[in-house]
Coordinates of all heavy atoms in Angstrom, one line a residue:
M669 N 4.0 8.9 -21.5 CA 3.5 9.1 -20.1 C 4.4 10.0 -19.4 O 5.6 10.2 -19.8 CB 3.3 7.8 -19.4 CG 4.5 7.0 -19.1 SD 4.2 5.8 -17.9 CE 4.0 6.8 -16.5
N670 N 3.9 10.6 -18.3 CA 4.6 11.5 -17.5 C 4.9 11.0 -16.0 O 4.0 10.4 -15.5 CB 4.1 12.9 -17.5 CG 4.1 13.6 -18.8 OD1 4.9 13.4 -19.6 ND2 3.0 14.4 -19.0
V671 N 6.1 11.4 -15.6 CA 6.4 11.3 -14.1 C 6.5 12.7 -13.5 O 6.3 13.6 -14.1 CB 7.6 10.4 -13.9 CG1 7.4 9.0 -14.3 CG2 8.8 11.0 -14.6
F672 N 6.7 12.7 -12.2 CA 6.6 13.9 -11.4 C 7.9 14.4 -10.8 O 8.3 13.5 -9.9 CB 5.5 13.9 -10.5 CG 4.1 13.6 -11.1 CD1 3.7 12.2 -11.3 CD2 3.3 14.6 -11.8 CE1 2.5 12.0 -12.1 CE2 2.2 14.2 -12.4 CZ 1.8 12.9 -12.6
A673 N 8.5 15.5 -11.0 CA 9.7 15.9 -10.5 C 9.5 17.0 -9.5 O 8.7 18.0 -9.7 CB 10.6 16.5 -11.6
C674 N 10.0 16.9 -8.3 CA 9.9 18.0 -7.2 C 10.6 19.2 -7.8 O 11.8 19.2 -8.1 CB 10.5 17.4 -6.0 SG 10.7 18.7 -4.8
V675 N 9.9 20.4 -7.6 CA 10.5 21.5 -8.2 C 11.5 22.1 -7.2 O 12.4 22.9 -7.6 CB 9.4 22.7 -8.4 CG1 8.5 22.2 -9.6 CG2 8.7 23.0 -7.2
A676 N 11.5 21.6 -6.0 CA 12.4 22.1 -5.0 C 13.8 21.3 -5.0 O 14.9 21.9 -5.1 CB 11.9 22.0 -3.5
C677 N 13.7 19.9 -5.1 CA 15.0 19.2 -5.0 C 15.2 18.4 -6.2 O 16.3 17.8 -6.3 CB 15.0 18.3 -3.8 SG 13.9 16.9 -3.9
G678 N 14.2 18.2 -7.2 CA 14.4 17.4 -8.3 C 14.2 15.9 -8.3 O 14.3 15.2 -9.2
H679 N 13.7 15.5 -7.0 CA 13.4 14.1 -6.8 C 12.2 13.8 -7.8 O 11.3 14.4 -7.8 CB 13.0 13.7 -5.5 CG 12.6 12.3 -5.2 ND1 13.5 11.4 -4.9 CD2 11.4 11.8 -5.2 CE1 12.9 10.2 -4.8 NE2 11.6 10.5 -5.0
V680 N 12.4 12.6 -8.6 CA 11.4 12.2 -9.5 C 10.7 11.0 -9.1 O 11.3 10.0 -8.6 CB 12.0 11.9 -11.0 CG1 11.0 11.6 -12.0 CG2 12.8 13.2 -11.4
D681 N 9.3 10.9 -9.2 CA 8.6 9.9 -8.6 C 7.4 9.5 -9.6 O 7.0 10.4 -10.3 CB 8.1 10.2 -7.2 CG 8.2 9.1 -6.2 OD1 8.0 7.9 -6.6 OD2 8.5 9.4 -5.0
F682 N 6.8 8.3 -9.3 CA 5.5 8.0 -9.9 C 4.9 6.9 -9.1 O 5.6 6.0 -8.7 CB 5.7 7.6 -11.3 CG 4.3 7.2 -12.0 CD1 3.7 8.3 -12.7 CD2 3.7 6.0 -11.9 CE1 2.4 8.1 -13.3 CE2 2.5 5.9 -12.5 CZ 1.8 6.8 -13.2
P683 N 3.6 6.9 -8.8 CA 2.7 8.1 -9.1 C 3.0 9.4 -8.3 O 3.9 9.2 -7.5 CB 1.3 7.4 -8.8 CG 1.6 6.5 -7.7 CD 3.0 5.9 -8.0
R684 N 2.3 10.4 -8.6 CA 2.5 11.7 -8.0 C 2.1 11.4 -6.5 O 1.2 10.8 -6.1 CB 1.6 12.7 -8.6 CG 1.8 14.1 -7.9 CD 0.8 15.2 -8.5 NE 1.1 16.4 -7.8 CZ 1.1 17.6 -8.4 NH1 0.9 17.7 -9.7 NH2 1.3 18.7 -7.8
R685 N 3.0 12.1 -5.6 CA 2.8 12.0 -4.2 C 2.2 13.4 -3.6 O 2.4 14.4 -4.4 CB 4.0 11.6 -3.5 CG 4.6 10.4 -3.9 CD 5.6 9.8 -3.1 NE 6.3 8.6 -3.5 CZ 6.7 7.7 -2.8 NH1 6.6 7.8 -1.6 NH2 7.2 6.6 -3.4
L686 N 1.6 13.4 -2.5 CA 1.2 14.6 -1.9 C 2.4 15.5 -1.6 O 2.4 16.7 -1.7 CB 0.4 14.3 -0.6 CG -1.0 13.9 -0.9 CD1 -1.7 13.5 0.5 CD2 -1.9 15.0 -1.6
L687 N 3.5 14.8 -0.9 CA 4.7 15.6 -0.5 C 5.9 14.8 -1.1 O 5.9 13.5 -1.2 CB 4.8 15.6 1.1 CG 3.6 16.3 1.8 CD1 3.9 16.2 3.3 CD2 3.7 17.8 1.4
C688 N 6.9 15.6 -1.5 CA 8.2 14.9 -1.9 C 8.7 14.1 -0.8 O 9.0 14.5 0.4 CB 9.1 16.0 -2.3 SG 10.7 15.3 -2.8
P689 N 9.0 12.8 -1.0 CA 9.6 11.9 0.0 C 11.0 12.3 0.3 O 11.5 11.9 1.4 CB 9.5 10.6 -0.6 CG 9.5 10.7 -2.1 CD 8.8 12.0 -2.3
S690 N 11.6 13.2 -0.5 CA 13.0 13.5 -0.2 C 13.2 14.7 0.6 O 13.9 14.8 1.4 CB 13.8 13.7 -1.6 OG 15.0 14.1 -1.4
C691 N 12.2 15.8 0.3 CA 12.4 17.2 1.0 C 11.1 17.6 1.5 O 11.1 18.6 2.2 CB 13.0 18.2 0.0 SG 11.8 18.8 -1.2
G692 N 10.0 16.9 1.2 CA 8.7 17.4 1.9 C 8.0 18.5 1.2 O 6.9 19.0 1.5
H693 N 8.6 19.0 0.0 CA 7.8 20.1 -0.9 C 6.6 19.4 -1.5 O 6.6 18.2 -1.6 CB 8.8 20.5 -1.8 CG 8.6 21.9 -2.4 ND1 9.0 23.1 -1.7 CD2 8.0 22.3 -3.6 CE1 8.5 24.0 -2.5 NE2 8.0 23.7 -3.5
D694 N 5.7 20.3 -1.9 CA 4.4 19.8 -2.4 C 4.2 20.3 -3.8 O 3.0 20.2 -4.3 CB 3.3 20.1 -1.5 CG 3.0 21.6 -1.3 OD1 3.8 22.4 -1.9 OD2 2.1 22.0 -0.8
D695 N 5.2 20.7 -4.5 CA 5.0 21.2 -6.0 C 5.8 20.4 -6.8 O 7.0 20.2 -6.6 CB 5.3 22.6 -5.9 CG 4.8 23.3 -7.3 OD1 4.0 22.7 -8.0 OD2 5.1 24.4 -7.6
F696 N 5.1 19.8 -7.9 CA 5.9 19.0 -8.8 C 5.6 19.4 -10.2 O 4.7 20.0 -10.6 CB 5.2 17.5 -8.7 CG 5.4 16.9 -7.4 CD1 4.5 17.2 -6.4 CD2 6.5 16.2 -7.1 CE1 4.7 16.6 -5.0 CE2 6.7 15.6 -5.7 CZ 5.8 15.8 -4.8
A697 N 6.6 19.1 -11.1 CA 6.5 19.4 -12.5 C 6.4 18.1 -13.2 O 7.1 17.2 -12.9 CB 7.7 20.2 -13.0
E698 N 5.6 18.0 -14.3 CA 5.5 16.8 -15.0 C 6.7 16.7 -16.0 O 7.2 17.6 -16.7 CB 4.3 16.7 -15.9 CG 3.0 16.6 -15.0 CD 1.8 16.2 -15.7 OE1 1.9 15.5 -16.8 OE2 0.7 16.6 -15.3
V699 N 7.4 15.5 -16.0 CA 8.5 15.2 -16.8 C 8.1 13.9 -17.7 O 7.7 13.0 -17.2 CB 9.7 14.8 -16.0 CG1 10.9 14.5 -16.9 CG2 10.0 16.0 -15.0
A700 N 8.5 14.0 -19.0 CA 8.2 12.8 -19.9 C 9.0 11.8 -19.5 O 10.2 11.8 -19.3 CB 8.4 13.3 -21.3
A701 N 8.4 10.6 -19.4 CA 9.1 9.3 -19.3 C 8.7 8.3 -20.3 O 7.8 7.4 -20.1 CB 8.8 8.6 -17.8
S702 N 9.1 8.4 -21.5 CA 8.5 7.8 -22.6 C 9.2 6.5 -22.9 O 8.8 5.6 -23.6 CB 8.7 8.6 -23.9 OG 10.0 9.1 -24.1
T703 N 10.5 6.2 -22.2 CA 11.2 5.0 -22.5 C 11.9 4.6 -21.2 O 12.1 5.4 -20.2 CB 12.4 5.1 -23.5 OG1 13.2 6.2 -23.1 CG2 11.7 5.5 -24.9
G704 N 12.2 3.2 -21.2 CA 13.0 2.8 -20.0 C 13.6 1.4 -20.3 O 13.4 0.9 -21.5
S705 N 14.3 0.9 -19.4 CA 14.9 -0.4 -19.7 C 14.4 -1.6 -18.7 O 14.2 -1.3 -17.6 CB 16.5 -0.4 -19.2 OG 17.0 0.7 -20.0
V706 N 14.0 -2.7 -19.3 CA 13.4 -3.7 -18.5 C 14.5 -4.3 -17.6 O 15.7 -4.6 -18.0 CB 13.0 -4.9 -19.5 CG1 12.6 -6.2 -18.7 CG2 11.8 -4.3 -20.4
E707 N 14.0 -4.5 -16.4 CA 14.9 -5.1 -15.3 C 14.6 -6.6 -15.2 O 15.4 -7.4 -15.3 CB 14.8 -4.3 -14.0 CG 15.4 -2.9 -14.2 CD 15.6 -2.1 -12.9 OE1 14.7 -2.3 -12.0 OE2 16.5 -1.4 -12.7
E708 N 13.3 -6.8 -14.6 CA 12.9 -8.1 -14.3 C 11.6 -8.3 -14.9 O 10.7 -7.5 -15.0 CB 12.8 -8.4 -12.8 CG 14.2 -8.6 -12.2 CD 14.0 -9.2 -10.7 OE1 13.4 -10.2 -10.5 OE2 14.3 -8.3 -9.7
V709 N 11.3 -9.4 -15.4 CA 10.0 -9.9 -15.9 C 9.4 -11.0 -15.2 O 10.0 -12.0 -14.8 CB 10.1 -10.3 -17.4 CG1 8.7 -10.7 -18.0 CG2 10.8 -9.2 -18.2
T710 N 8.1 -10.8 -14.8 CA 7.3 -12.0 -14.2 C 6.3 -12.4 -15.2 O 5.4 -11.5 -15.6 CB 6.7 -11.4 -12.8 OG1 7.7 -11.1 -12.0 CG2 5.9 -12.5 -12.2
I711 N 6.1 -13.7 -15.4 CA 5.1 -14.2 -16.3 C 3.9 -14.6 -15.4 O 4.1 -15.5 -14.5 CB 5.6 -15.4 -17.1 CG1 6.8 -14.9 -17.9 CG2 4.5 -15.8 -17.9 CD1 7.5 -16.0 -18.6
L712 N 2.7 -14.1 -15.6 CA 1.5 -14.4 -14.9 C 0.6 -15.3 -15.8 O 0.2 -15.0 -16.9 CB 0.6 -13.2 -14.6 CG 1.4 -12.1 -13.7 CD1 0.5 -10.9 -13.3 CD2 1.8 -12.9 -12.3
H713 N 0.2 -16.5 -15.2 CA -0.8 -17.3 -16.0 C -2.0 -17.2 -15.3 O -2.2 -17.2 -14.1 CB -0.2 -18.8 -15.9 CG 1.1 -19.0 -16.6 ND1 1.3 -19.3 -18.0 CD2 2.3 -18.8 -16.0 CE1 2.6 -19.3 -18.1 NE2 3.2 -19.1 -17.1
H714 N -3.2 -17.5 -16.1 CA -4.5 -17.5 -15.6 C -4.9 -16.5 -14.6 O -5.0 -16.7 -13.4 CB -4.6 -19.0 -14.8 CG -4.2 -20.1 -15.6 ND1 -4.8 -20.4 -16.7 CD2 -3.3 -21.0 -15.5 CE1 -4.3 -21.5 -17.3 NE2 -3.2 -21.9 -16.5
R715 N -4.9 -15.3 -15.1 CA -5.2 -14.2 -14.3 C -6.7 -14.3 -13.9 O -7.6 -14.7 -14.5 CB -5.2 -12.9 -15.1 CG -3.7 -12.4 -15.1 CD -3.7 -11.1 -15.8 NE -4.0 -11.3 -17.3 CZ -4.1 -10.2 -18.1 NH1 -3.9 -9.0 -17.6 NH2 -4.3 -10.5 -19.5
A716 N -7.0 -13.8 -12.5 CA -8.4 -13.9 -12.0 C -9.3 -13.3 -12.9 O -9.0 -12.1 -13.4 CB -8.4 -13.3 -10.6
G717 N -10.4 -13.8 -13.1 CA -11.5 -13.2 -13.9 C -11.3 -13.3 -15.4 O -12.1 -12.8 -16.3
K718 N -10.2 -14.0 -15.9 CA -10.0 -14.0 -17.3 C -10.0 -15.6 -17.6 O -9.8 -16.5 -16.9 CB -8.6 -13.7 -17.6 CG -8.3 -12.2 -17.3 CD -8.8 -11.3 -18.4 CE -8.4 -9.8 -18.1 NZ -8.7 -9.1 -19.3
A719 N -10.3 -16.0 -18.9 CA -10.4 -17.3 -19.4 C -9.0 -17.8 -19.3 O -8.0 -17.2 -19.3 CB -10.9 -17.3 -20.8
G720 N -8.8 -19.2 -19.2 CA -7.7 -19.9 -19.1 C -6.8 -19.7 -20.3 O -7.3 -19.4 -21.4
G721 N -5.5 -19.8 -20.1 CA -4.6 -19.7 -21.2 C -4.1 -18.2 -21.5 O -3.3 -18.0 -22.3
D722 N -4.7 -17.3 -20.7 CA -4.3 -15.9 -20.8 C -2.9 -15.7 -20.1 O -2.8 -16.2 -18.8 CB -5.3 -15.0 -20.3 CG -5.2 -13.6 -20.7 OD1 -4.3 -13.4 -21.6 OD2 -5.9 -12.8 -20.2
I723 N -1.9 -15.1 -20.7 CA -0.7 -14.8 -20.1 C -0.4 -13.4 -20.1 O -0.7 -12.8 -21.1 CB 0.5 -15.6 -20.9 CG1 0.2 -17.1 -20.8 CG2 1.8 -15.3 -20.4 CD1 1.2 -18.0 -21.4
A724 N 0.2 -12.9 -19.0 CA 0.5 -11.5 -19.0 C 2.0 -11.5 -18.5 O 2.5 -12.3 -17.8 CB -0.4 -10.7 -17.9
Y725 N 2.7 -10.5 -19.1 CA 4.1 -10.2 -18.7 C 4.1 -8.9 -17.9 O 3.9 -7.8 -18.5 CB 4.9 -10.1 -20.0 CG 4.8 -11.4 -20.9 CD1 4.1 -11.2 -22.0 CD2 5.3 -12.6 -20.6 CE1 3.8 -12.3 -22.9 CE2 5.1 -13.7 -21.3 CZ 4.4 -13.6 -22.5 OH 4.2 -14.7 -23.3
L726 N 4.6 -9.0 -16.7 CA 4.8 -7.8 -15.8 C 6.2 -7.6 -15.7 O 7.0 -8.5 -15.4 CB 4.1 -8.0 -14.4 CG 2.6 -7.9 -14.4 CD1 2.1 -7.9 -13.0 CD2 2.1 -6.6 -15.1
A727 N 6.7 -6.3 -15.7 CA 8.1 -6.0 -15.6 C 8.3 -4.9 -14.8 O 7.5 -4.0 -14.8 CB 8.7 -5.8 -17.1
T728 N 9.5 -4.9 -14.2 CA 10.0 -3.7 -13.5 C 10.8 -2.9 -14.6 O 11.6 -3.6 -15.2 CB 10.8 -3.8 -12.2 OG1 11.9 -4.8 -12.5 CG2 9.9 -4.4 -11.1
V729 N 10.6 -1.8 -14.8 CA 11.2 -0.9 -15.8 C 11.8 0.3 -15.2 O 11.1 1.0 -14.5 CB 10.2 -0.6 -17.0 CG1 10.9 0.5 -17.9 CG2 9.7 -1.8 -17.8
L730 N 13.0 0.5 -15.4 CA 13.8 1.7 -14.9 C 13.7 2.7 -15.9 O 14.3 2.6 -17.0 CB 15.2 1.4 -14.6 CG 16.0 2.6 -14.0 CD1 15.5 3.1 -12.7 CD2 17.5 2.2 -13.8
T731 N 12.8 3.7 -15.8 CA 12.6 4.8 -16.8 C 13.9 5.6 -17.0 O 14.6 5.8 -15.9 CB 11.4 5.7 -16.5 OG1 11.7 6.4 -15.3 CG2 10.2 4.9 -16.3
H732 N 14.1 6.2 -18.1 CA 15.2 7.1 -18.3 C 15.0 8.3 -17.5 O 16.0 9.0 -17.3 CB 15.4 7.3 -19.9 CG 15.8 5.9 -20.5 ND1 15.5 5.7 -21.8 CD2 16.5 4.9 -20.1 CE1 16.0 4.5 -22.2 NE2 16.6 4.0 -21.1
A733 N 13.8 8.7 -17.1 CA 13.5 9.8 -16.3 C 13.8 9.7 -14.9 O 14.0 10.6 -14.0 CB 12.0 10.3 -16.5
G734 N 14.1 8.4 -14.4 CA 14.5 8.1 -13.1 C 13.7 7.0 -12.3 O 14.3 6.0 -11.8
P735 N 12.3 7.2 -12.2 CA 11.6 6.2 -11.4 C 11.6 4.7 -12.0 O 11.6 4.7 -13.2 CB 10.2 6.8 -11.3 CG 10.3 8.2 -11.7 CD 11.5 8.3 -12.6
R736 N 11.4 3.8 -11.1 CA 11.2 2.4 -11.5 C 9.6 2.1 -11.5 O 9.0 2.6 -10.6 CB 11.9 1.5 -10.3 CG 12.1 0.2 -10.9 CD 13.1 -0.4 -9.8 NE 14.5 -0.5 -10.1 CZ 15.4 0.4 -9.7 NH1 15.2 1.2 -8.7 NH2 16.8 0.2 -10.2
L737 N 9.2 1.6 -12.6 CA 7.7 1.4 -12.7 C 7.3 -0.1 -13.0 O 8.3 -0.8 -13.4 CB 7.1 2.1 -13.9 CG 7.4 3.6 -14.1 CD1 6.9 4.2 -15.4 CD2 6.8 4.4 -12.9
I738 N 6.1 -0.5 -12.5 CA 5.6 -1.7 -12.9 C 4.8 -1.7 -14.2 O 3.9 -0.9 -14.2 CB 4.7 -2.3 -11.8 CG1 5.5 -2.4 -10.4 CG2 4.2 -3.7 -12.2 CD1 6.7 -3.3 -10.4
V739 N 5.2 -2.5 -15.1 CA 4.7 -2.1 -16.5 C 4.2 -3.5 -17.0 O 4.9 -4.6 -16.8 CB 5.9 -1.7 -17.4 CG1 5.5 -1.6 -18.9 CG2 6.3 -0.2 -16.9
R740 N 3.1 -3.5 -17.8 CA 2.7 -4.7 -18.5 C 3.3 -4.7 -20.0 O 3.1 -3.7 -20.7 CB 1.1 -4.8 -18.6 CG 0.6 -5.8 -19.4 CD -0.9 -6.0 -19.2 NE -1.6 -4.9 -19.6 CZ -1.9 -4.6 -20.9 NH1 -1.6 -5.4 -21.8 NH2 -2.6 -3.5 -21.3
L741 N 4.0 -5.7 -20.3 CA 4.7 -5.8 -21.5 C 3.8 -6.4 -22.6 O 3.0 -7.3 -22.3 CB 5.9 -6.7 -21.5 CG 7.0 -6.1 -20.6 CD1 8.2 -7.2 -20.6 CD2 7.5 -4.8 -20.9
E742 N 3.7 -5.9 -23.9 CA 3.0 -6.4 -24.9 C 3.3 -7.8 -25.3 O 2.5 -8.6 -25.7 CB 2.9 -5.4 -26.1 CG 2.1 -4.2 -25.8 CD 2.0 -3.4 -27.1 OE1 2.6 -3.5 -28.0 OE2 0.9 -2.7 -27.0
R743 N 4.7 -8.1 -25.1 CA 5.1 -9.4 -25.4 C 6.4 -9.6 -24.5 O 6.9 -8.7 -23.9 CB 5.5 -9.6 -26.8 CG 6.6 -8.6 -27.3 CD 6.8 -8.8 -28.9 NE 7.7 -7.7 -29.4 CZ 9.1 -7.8 -29.4 NH1 9.6 -8.9 -28.9 NH2 9.9 -6.8 -29.9
L744 N 6.8 -10.9 -24.4 CA 8.0 -11.2 -23.5 C 9.3 -10.7 -24.1 O 9.6 -10.7 -25.2 CB 8.1 -12.7 -23.4 CG 9.1 -13.2 -22.4 CD1 8.9 -12.7 -21.0 CD2 9.2 -14.7 -22.4
L745 N 10.0 -9.9 -23.2 CA 11.2 -9.2 -23.6 C 12.2 -9.6 -22.5 O 11.9 -9.9 -21.3 CB 11.0 -7.8 -23.6 CG 10.1 -7.1 -24.7 CD1 9.8 -5.7 -24.5 CD2 10.8 -7.4 -26.1
A746 N 13.5 -9.5 -22.8 CA 14.6 -9.9 -22.0 C 15.0 -8.7 -21.0 O 14.7 -7.5 -21.5 CB 15.8 -10.4 -22.7
S747 N 15.6 -9.0 -20.0 CA 16.2 -7.9 -19.2 C 17.2 -7.1 -20.0 O 17.9 -7.7 -20.8 CB 16.9 -8.5 -17.9 OG 16.1 -9.2 -17.1
G748 N 17.1 -5.7 -19.9 CA 18.0 -4.9 -20.6 C 17.3 -4.4 -21.9 O 17.8 -3.4 -22.5
A749 N 16.2 -4.9 -22.3 CA 15.5 -4.5 -23.5 C 15.0 -3.1 -23.2 O 14.5 -2.7 -22.2 CB 14.3 -5.4 -24.0
V750 N 15.0 -2.2 -24.2 CA 14.5 -0.9 -24.0 C 13.0 -0.8 -24.6 O 12.8 -1.3 -25.7 CB 15.3 0.1 -24.9 CG1 14.8 1.5 -24.9 CG2 16.8 0.2 -24.3
V751 N 12.2 -0.3 -23.8 CA 10.8 -0.3 -24.2 C 10.3 1.1 -24.2 O 10.8 2.1 -23.5 CB 9.9 -1.1 -23.3 CG1 10.1 -2.6 -23.5 CG2 10.0 -0.7 -21.8
S752 N 9.3 1.5 -25.0 CA 8.5 2.7 -25.0 C 7.4 2.5 -24.0 O 6.9 1.3 -23.9 CB 8.0 3.1 -26.4 OG 9.1 3.2 -27.3
L753 N 6.9 3.6 -23.4 CA 5.9 3.5 -22.3 C 4.7 4.2 -22.7 O 4.8 5.3 -23.3 CB 6.5 3.9 -21.0 CG 7.7 3.1 -20.5 CD1 8.3 3.9 -19.2 CD2 7.3 1.7 -20.2
R754 N 3.5 3.7 -22.4 CA 2.4 4.6 -22.6 C 1.3 4.2 -21.4 O 1.3 3.1 -21.0 CB 1.6 4.4 -24.0 CG 0.9 3.1 -24.2 CD 0.0 3.0 -25.3 NE -0.7 1.7 -25.3 CZ -0.2 0.8 -26.1 NH1 0.8 0.8 -26.9 NH2 -0.9 -0.4 -26.0
L755 N 0.6 5.2 -21.0 CA -0.3 5.0 -19.9 C -1.7 4.9 -20.5 O -2.3 5.7 -21.3 CB -0.3 6.4 -19.2 CG -1.1 6.4 -17.8 CD1 -0.6 5.3 -16.8 CD2 -1.1 7.8 -17.2
E756 N -2.3 3.8 -20.1 CA -3.6 3.4 -20.6 C -4.7 4.2 -19.9 O -4.5 4.8 -18.8 CB -3.9 1.9 -20.6 CG -2.9 1.1 -21.3 CD -3.1 1.0 -22.7 OE1 -2.7 1.9 -23.5 OE2 -3.9 0.1 -23.3
S757 N -6.0 4.3 -20.5 CA -7.1 5.0 -19.8 C -7.4 4.4 -18.4 O -7.9 5.1 -17.6 CB -8.2 5.1 -20.7 OG -8.7 3.7 -21.1
D758 N -7.1 3.0 -18.3 CA -7.4 2.5 -16.9 C -6.3 2.5 -15.9 O -6.4 2.0 -14.8 CB -7.7 0.9 -17.1 CG -6.6 0.1 -17.8 OD1 -5.4 0.7 -17.9 OD2 -6.7 -1.0 -17.9
G759 N -5.3 3.4 -16.3 CA -4.2 3.6 -15.4 C -3.0 2.6 -15.5 O -2.0 2.9 -14.9
A760 N -3.2 1.6 -16.3 CA -2.1 0.6 -16.5 C -1.0 1.2 -17.5 O -1.3 2.0 -18.3 CB -2.6 -0.7 -17.1
I761 N 0.2 0.8 -17.2 CA 1.4 1.3 -18.0 C 1.7 0.1 -18.8 O 2.0 -1.0 -18.3 CB 2.5 1.8 -17.1 CG1 2.1 2.9 -16.1 CG2 3.7 2.3 -18.0 CD1 3.1 3.2 -15.1
V762 N 1.9 0.3 -20.1 CA 2.2 -0.6 -21.1 C 3.6 -0.4 -21.7 O 3.8 0.8 -22.0 CB 1.1 -0.7 -22.1 CG1 1.4 -1.7 -23.3 CG2 -0.2 -1.1 -21.5
G763 N 4.3 -1.4 -21.7 CA 5.6 -1.3 -22.4 C 5.7 -2.0 -23.7 O 5.2 -3.1 -23.8
F764 N 6.3 -1.4 -24.7 CA 6.2 -2.0 -26.0 C 7.5 -1.6 -26.8 O 8.2 -0.6 -26.5 CB 5.0 -1.6 -26.9 CG 5.0 -0.1 -27.2 CD1 5.2 0.5 -28.2 CD2 4.4 0.7 -26.1 CE1 5.2 1.8 -28.4 CE2 4.3 2.1 -26.4 CZ 4.7 2.6 -27.5
S765 N 7.9 -2.6 -27.6 CA 9.1 -2.2 -28.5 C 8.8 -2.5 -29.9 O 7.9 -3.4 -30.3 CB 10.3 -3.1 -28.0 OG 10.1 -4.4 -28.3
D766 N 9.3 -1.8 -30.9 CA 9.0 -2.0 -32.2 C 10.0 -2.9 -33.0 O 11.0 -3.2 -32.5 CB 8.9 -0.7 -33.0 CG 7.9 0.3 -32.4 OD1 6.8 -0.2 -32.0 OD2 8.3 1.5 -32.2
Ligands
ZN250 ZN1 11.8 17.4 -3.2

């Protein structure tokens, strides 16, 4: 997946913003953010609209490209684990490790 780097000052953000929060410029270049490090994991039980017993793992991941993202992990991982990232068609970001 990609994040967005301001061409004027280099500030990197996700999702893309109308204006750079750092300098106000409005032109961005896409930068690959294919991996990151898990910071914190939250375990969600019984998600609304889903059958009971469904568990989801949400993590804050600091991407190697810079921005911090909220990511759904395919399985429970510890803080510090390195994950690969992919953007799903529904806009969710999934983190996985092999
Ligand atoms: Zn900028």
